[in-house]
Amino acid sequence: MNLEKVFEHNQEWVNKRLSQDTDYFDKLSAGQNPEVLYIGCSDSRVTAEELLGAEPGEVFVHRNIANMVISLDMNTTSVLDYAVEHLKVKHIVVCGHYNCGGIKSAMTPKDLGIMNPWLRNIRDVYRLHSEELNAIENEGMRYNRLVELNVQEQCVNVVKNPFVQRAMKNGLQIHGWVFDLFTGKLIDLNLNFDLILENIKEIYDINE
């Protein structure tokens, strides 16, 4: 990427938008009303708006290493709260991707310094599903399955929030997806939350 060309490209983008709609930026600056919160990986190959075919203002985006939703991460929790309580999004998407560097690092039994506390959460996902994962002999397939299971567990972490549970009663939907870097396709994991949460529902359900 040529940084010297960034502002030139920006002006070209501005001109293109204005040629299509002279009021485009007046409308854009008036506010946002996205229906989707997208929680994805920071990987440079996985851009939310491009994957979804979305325009500016249509998707509220949060990205971090390996698309994690960690309760003590106030950044992610604040994004969730704002999206649900204030923007009133109708959908929350947690999207992982195959060949994820964060997942691969977590599968490597090495001291990775400051990354250790973050990767520990992914390693806990492996621990929760170790029986299934260890039964997969092919390393690449095991790696991809952990990507899927990590998306599942992060969706569960989303649902654990009381304000999310309240919104789900009013129609908020949670989705777990994976982007396949090898084919370019988005895969819906079609997660069954009633089944997934069956064993912990009595602990995390908020009764009001």
Side-chain angles (χ1 to χ4, degrees):
M1 182 177 183
N2 186 346
L3 288 180
E4 295 179 0
K5 293 285 187 179
V6 167
F7 294 99
E8 181 180 326
H9 293 158
N10 171 250
Q11 188 59 54
E12 291 173 358
W13 176 74
V14 170
N15 294 341
K16 180 180 178 181
R17 289 295 186 180
L18 291 175
S19 70
Q20 296 169 340
D21 182 358
T22 55
D23 297 323
Y24 179 81
F25 291 103
D26 291 330
K27 296 173 183 175
L28 192 65
S29 62
Q32 61 173 327
N33 188 32
E35 294 191 355
V36 177
L37 166 62
Y38 174 96
I39 300 174
C41 183
S42 297
D43 194 299
S44 62
R45 300 165 294 178
V46 187
T47 56
E49 291 86 354
E50 191 169 2
L51 284 182
L52 303 179
E55 293 291 328
E58 292 184 339
V59 183
F60 197 55
V61 178
H62 178 70
R63 297 170 67 185
N64 59 45
I65 293 175
N67 42 272
M68 302 299 290
V69 180
I70 301 169
S71 62
L72 295 178
D73 175 15
M74 294 309 297
N75 187 352
T76 303
T77 302
S78 297
V79 167
L80 267 172
D81 180 84
Y82 186 74
V84 172
E85 298 280 51
H86 299 278
L87 296 177
K88 306 296 183 184
V89 296
K90 297 178 181 178
H91 303 272
I92 297 176
V93 173
V94 178
C95 187
H97 66 97
Y98 295 141
N99 205 27
C100 176
I103 299 293
K104 195 166 189 176
S105 295
M107 290 179 70
T108 306
K110 292 173 62 176
D111 182 353
L112 295 170
I114 197 170
M115 287 288 295
N116 286 332
W118 192 264
L119 297 178
R120 188 178 303 135
N121 296 280
I122 306 172
R123 289 167 174 156
D124 281 342
V125 173
Y126 197 113
R127 176 177 55 81
L128 286 170
H129 300 275
S130 59
E131 184 175 352
E132 175 185 349
L133 290 165
N134 290 336
I136 302 173
E137 295 184 4
N138 181 279
E139 184 178 6
M141 293 177 64
R142 186 165 64 249
Y143 177 15
N144 287 345
R145 183 56 180 151
L146 180 56
V147 168
E148 295 171 351
L149 290 169
N150 184 59
V151 167
Q152 173 181 304
E153 292 302 327
Q154 303 321 308
C155 286
V156 169
N157 288 341
V158 168
V159 176
K160 288 175 183 177
N161 290 281
F163 57 87
V164 171
Q165 292 182 30
R166 287 193 292 268
M168 289 176 73
K169 292 178 181 178
N170 294 317
L172 174 67
Q173 296 181 30
I174 315 298
H175 310 270
W177 296 353
V178 171
F179 173 56
D180 188 343
L181 281 170
F182 303 101
T183 65
K185 293 183 179 180
L186 277 171
I187 300 166
D188 188 345
L189 297 179
N190 292 309
L191 298 175
N192 183 337
F193 287 105
D194 288 336
L195 180 62
I196 293 168
L197 294 169
E198 186 175 349
N199 292 330
I200 62 171
K201 198 170 184 182
E202 62 184 16
I203 300 173
Y204 286 104
D205 257 6
I206 305 301
N207 298 307
E208 295 182 342

